Amino acid sequence: MRRHPGARAAPSLLGLLTVALVVTGMVLGYRWSLRSGLADLASLANERLELYASTLETELARYAHLPSLLALDEDVQALLEAPNDPARRERASLKLARVNVRAGSMLLVVAGPDGEPLAASDRHRSQSDAADVARLAARLAAEAGGEPTEFFVSNAADGTTDYTYVQPVRRGGVLRGRIVARLSLAPLEATWVDLGQRTSSEKLMVVDHNDVVIMSSVPAWKYRMLGSVDVEGLMASGRYAGAALAPLGMSVEGPADNGATLVRVADVQTAGRSLHLAQQRPLLPLAVRLVTLSDPTDVRRQARLAAWGGGAAGGLLGLLAMYLLYRRRALQQLFRARNALQQAHDQLERQVDERTRELRQTNEELKRQIGQRLQAEDELMQAGKLAVLGQMSAGISHEINQPLTALRALSRNTQLLLEAGRTKAVAENLRLIDDMAERMGRITSQLKSFARRGGGAVQVHGPVDLRASLDNVLVLLEHRLRAERVQVAVDVPAGMLVLGEANRLEQVLLNLLGNALDAMADVAERRLAVRASREGEGEHARVWLQVADSGAGMTDAQMARLFEPFFTTKPAGQGLGLGLVISSKIVREFGGTLRARRAEAAPGAGMVFEFDLAAASKETYV
């Protein structure tokens, strides 16, 4: 069925519409959130600006009447009447010192008409400092027409900003002198700096009529210029003594709501330019203006979130339109599918009939193949039984060889003892011969169990005395040890018990010690060491047993195949390669692991065979 071209174009148009809605929602959301956020930020900054302005005006108003009050003081008036009288200068200086301490001002100076200081509150301050203050006050007061004036000035000593009040004193219309009061604004500025360090979202600065920043919550901005100013002229004015005037690097980006302006300010530390929302409030009586710079980072972050929200809303509308379109198309396809389903049902019935015939034929073929497979499995099982019988016969011949050798030695020894008339020794030998015959029977039954396929846990009869089992094995090998002159060192404590079965444990020890003797057949110095140690406590305690020889050792290739059935390093006719395989299986059934390693790092230094078993006590039974 061919689709109408308009049906294929509709999803594409809806997709483009969805993208357009997402972009429009993001743009509108960003702009609305940014404008609203900047307006709120400007409103909050304006409130704080009023608070800062009120604080500064209140701080300066506390000292505004101090010079006028000093002008009415009797000592000050007497000094101005006779400025050259040393006694009057001393009394006036003491009076100024007391007033300075009580008022909390920085410096009080009484100067003559020519600007020379007559008395000062700080007699320890150098005369040049007081003279500089008095002369600057006289010059600025003259520029103001001789009226009372006040101004900000830089303190060359510590780089802070001070505020100076100048009150002229006249008698009969004649200028007799001036009262100069200087106030330190360092405490107020330190409060602003501390506030700026604790909250980096807002910065404050005071700009004078020369566009120079005279106070700021950012120390690096102090005495920076906002515009292009004649630096030489400013330095000549005496207001900025000791200050290094330099441009601040502020550029206007554009206007904002509530009279605010977006500006970029150069960062002295990072050499970058950060965006701020600037607002200012003029303080006309002080001839300065307060400027706040608010950080709009949070506003822009909220605007980006709003942009994502607007985009999500636009995308949701687009997806809803696509859902309605696809739902309508799905209903149409459902009706078409019903008709197609009926046709497919009829065709399926025909195919089922044909498939049924094919399945019957396939079923007959599978039955024939199953019969052939059952016959092949019977043949494989018979072959496996023959392989097990071969393994059993090889194991029996290997395991019984050593006890038979011991029986021959004991029989010959018994003959010699009979000839010597030592009946007690003969009886002991006959008892040993009987024990070994019984052990050979047990070995035969054990080899049958080993050759039998399938596995289950070995029935552990109980605690076994490891030293007693080792002594029994050493008795069987006594003739070889003596004949081959082997030095035997045994470090196995008496009474050390392990969980296992005595006969099978002796079988493992016999295989390990016999292999050690075979390995030392071609070396001059033969040393055999058997050591046992206990590790851990309680139910997790283990006993480790090591059998070390001084033989020629093995290569890496030989050690890799050490526990493979029928692999042996002995000459032909002396070994079948089953001893270690059987021993490893017995140790594993006891719950341990048989391992092999070289006695030293280099080949040719002998071998160490070791295994671990669960430690037991006399009361332990399984």
Side-chain angles (χ1 to χ4, degrees):
M1 181 180 296
R2 298 183 59 187
R3 294 184 178 179
H4 193 273
R8 292 193 297 268
S12 300
L13 292 177
L14 281 178
L16 294 176
L17 177 61
T18 301
V19 174
L21 289 174
V22 170
V23 173
T24 303
M26 293 182 69
V27 172
L28 294 178
Y30 181 83
R31 289 183 176 179
W32 173 81
S33 178
L34 182 61
R35 183 173 181 179
S36 176
L38 289 178
D40 294 340
L41 183 61
S43 178
L44 180 60
N46 189 44
E47 294 178 2
R48 293 180 177 176
L49 191 61
E50 293 294 333
L51 178 61
Y52 291 137
S54 176
T55 302
L56 180 59
E57 289 177 339
T58 302
E59 182 69 17
L60 297 180
R62 293 170 52 195
Y63 302 90
H65 301 290
L66 182 59
S68 299
L69 295 175
L70 288 175
L72 301 176
D73 186 75
E74 295 179 356
D75 294 332
V76 175
Q77 292 180 359
L79 176 61
L80 294 178
E81 291 294 336
N84 297 322
D85 188 348
R88 294 186 180 187
R89 286 192 176 191
E90 181 67 20
R91 285 197 301 271
S93 296
L94 292 175
K95 177 60 70 66
L96 293 178
R98 288 195 296 270
V99 173
N100 186 59
V101 171
R102 294 176 182 177
S105 56
M106 180 180 178
L107 179 65
L108 299 176
V109 179
V110 177
D114 55 356
E116 292 300 323
L118 303 178
S121 59
D122 190 354
R123 290 181 295 175
H124 299 288
R125 182 185 294 268
S126 65
Q127 292 297 324
S128 60
D129 292 345
D132 292 341
V133 173
R135 289 166 186 167
L136 178 61
R139 183 164 57 82
L140 295 179
E143 293 176 0
E147 297 298 325
T149 184
E150 50 193 57
F151 54 89
F152 292 90
V153 64
S154 170
N155 190 335
D158 53 10
T160 60
T161 300
D162 299 335
Y163 194 74
T164 304
Y165 300 89
V166 182
Q167 175 67 42
V169 181
R170 290 184 174 85
R171 293 291 184 271
V174 178
L175 179 65
R176 296 298 182 89
R178 296 180 181 86
I179 308 298
V180 181
R182 174 166 287 194
L183 171 66
S184 175
L185 298 179
L188 179 61
E189 189 175 17
T191 303
W192 291 355
V193 172
D194 179 66
L195 181 62
Q197 291 177 348
R198 286 188 284 110
T199 122
S200 60
S201 60
E202 188 174 68
K203 299 176 177 61
L204 176 67
M205 56 185 177
V206 178
V207 184
D208 65 5
H209 64 284
N210 292 322
D211 282 342
V212 177
V213 180
I214 57 176
M215 294 178 65
S216 177
S217 61
V218 181
W221 289 357
K222 195 168 181 180
Y223 299 116
R224 297 277 180 169
M225 300 180 298
L226 300 186
S228 299
V229 185
D230 182 9
V231 179
E232 294 182 359
L234 292 178
M235 296 302 295
S237 67
R239 291 176 178 266
Y240 313 102
L245 300 179
L248 179 59
M250 178 185 294
S251 60
V252 179
E253 292 289 320
D257 294 339
N258 295 333
T261 306
L262 288 174
V263 299
R264 288 195 178 273
V265 182
D267 194 331
V268 179
Q269 296 179 350
T270 62
R273 297 177 62 82
S274 55
L275 185 66
H276 295 275
L277 182 69
Q279 279 187 297
Q280 62 180 1
R281 181 185 183 280
L283 301 179
L284 298 180
L286 304 179
V288 296
R289 65 181 188 273
L290 247 81
V291 180
T292 58
L293 299 179
S294 302
D295 188 0
T297 301
D298 292 338
V299 175
R300 300 177 70 183
R301 184 184 300 110
Q302 293 297 329
R304 287 193 292 269
L305 293 177
W308 286 112
L316 183 62
L317 292 176
L319 292 176
L320 179 60
M322 294 181 67
Y323 166 74
L324 294 177
L325 173 64
Y326 278 106
R327 184 175 182 275
R328 181 171 175 271
R329 294 180 59 188
L331 291 176
Q332 294 176 353
Q333 292 177 358
L334 180 61
F335 289 115
R336 292 195 296 266
R338 287 180 180 177
N339 298 330
L341 182 62
Q342 185 62 39
Q343 297 176 1
H345 181 268
D346 298 337
Q347 183 179 2
L348 181 61
E349 287 185 348
R350 294 191 297 269
Q351 292 178 353
V352 167
D353 294 337
E354 296 175 359
R355 187 60 177 169
T356 302
R357 290 193 297 271
E358 294 176 358
L359 288 175
R360 289 196 185 100
Q361 297 175 358
T362 303
N363 191 26
E364 295 297 330
E365 178 65 20
L366 286 175
K367 288 181 179 180
R368 184 182 64 81
Q369 292 179 1
I370 289 173
Q372 294 177 353
R373 181 172 297 177
L374 291 174
Q375 183 178 0
E377 288 180 355
D378 292 339
E379 294 175 357
L380 288 175
M381 185 177 295
Q382 184 63 26
K385 290 180 180 180
L386 294 176
V388 170
L389 290 176
Q391 187 177 7
M392 287 176 58
S393 62
I396 291 172
S397 63
H398 176 271
E399 293 299 327
I400 296 181
N401 181 51
Q402 291 178 342
L404 285 176
T405 302
L407 285 175
R408 286 194 297 269
L410 289 172
S411 299
R412 295 171 183 172
N413 192 21
T414 303
Q415 291 176 359
L416 296 176
L417 291 174
L418 282 174
E419 294 176 358
R422 298 171 59 183
T423 57
K424 290 184 179 180
V426 170
E428 180 64 21
N429 281 0
L430 291 176
R431 186 185 64 78
L432 292 175
I433 291 173
D434 180 69
D435 290 342
M436 282 186 288
E438 183 179 356
R439 183 175 292 107
M440 289 170 59
R442 288 197 298 268
I443 291 174
T444 304
S445 63
Q446 292 159 7
L447 289 175
K448 290 179 181 180
S449 174
F450 171 76
R452 185 167 58 246
R453 292 185 179 271
V458 173
Q459 180 67 30
V460 180
H461 298 285
V464 178
D465 190 332
L466 184 61
R467 180 57 185 265
S469 299
L470 179 61
D471 291 341
N472 293 338
V473 172
L474 291 176
V475 170
L476 293 177
L477 298 176
E478 183 179 3
H479 64 288
R480 286 193 63 184
L481 296 173
R482 187 169 52 252
E484 297 176 9
R485 297 181 180 179
V486 178
Q487 302 177 13
V488 180
V490 177
D491 185 11
V492 179
M496 179 175 283
L497 302 181
V498 296
L499 286 179
E501 194 269 322
N503 184 55
R504 295 165 66 80
L505 180 59
E506 292 179 9
Q507 181 179 352
V508 173
L509 295 174
L510 187 62
N511 281 333
L512 295 181
L513 269 64
N515 287 342
L517 294 177
D518 294 339
M520 296 186 294
D522 298 329
V523 298
E525 185 177 359
R526 301 180 179 93
R527 297 187 308 275
L528 179 63
V530 183
R531 295 182 294 271
S533 61
R534 179 188 177 103
E535 296 182 359
E537 297 294 336
E539 61 180 4
H540 300 294
R542 308 288 294 180
V543 173
W544 285 84
L545 186 133
Q546 296 180 347
V547 177
D549 61 69
S550 60
M554 295 184 182
T555 63
D556 293 338
Q558 290 173 339
M559 292 186 65
R561 302 182 57 193
L562 195 57
F563 293 97
E564 292 183 6
F566 302 105
F567 173 76
T568 179
T569 59
K570 300 176 183 179
Q574 296 185 14
L576 296 177
L578 292 174
L580 288 178
V581 177
I582 296 173
S583 299
S584 178
K585 182 175 185 296
I586 293 173
V587 172
R588 188 165 56 253
E589 290 174 349
F590 285 168
T593 304
L594 178 62
R595 303 180 182 87
R597 60 181 175 83
R598 297 190 184 95
E600 300 293 341
M607 294 293 295
V608 176
F609 288 84
E610 58 184 7
F611 60 88
D612 63 304
L613 298 175
S617 61
K618 294 183 179 179
E619 293 76 14
T620 304
Y621 295 94
V622 178

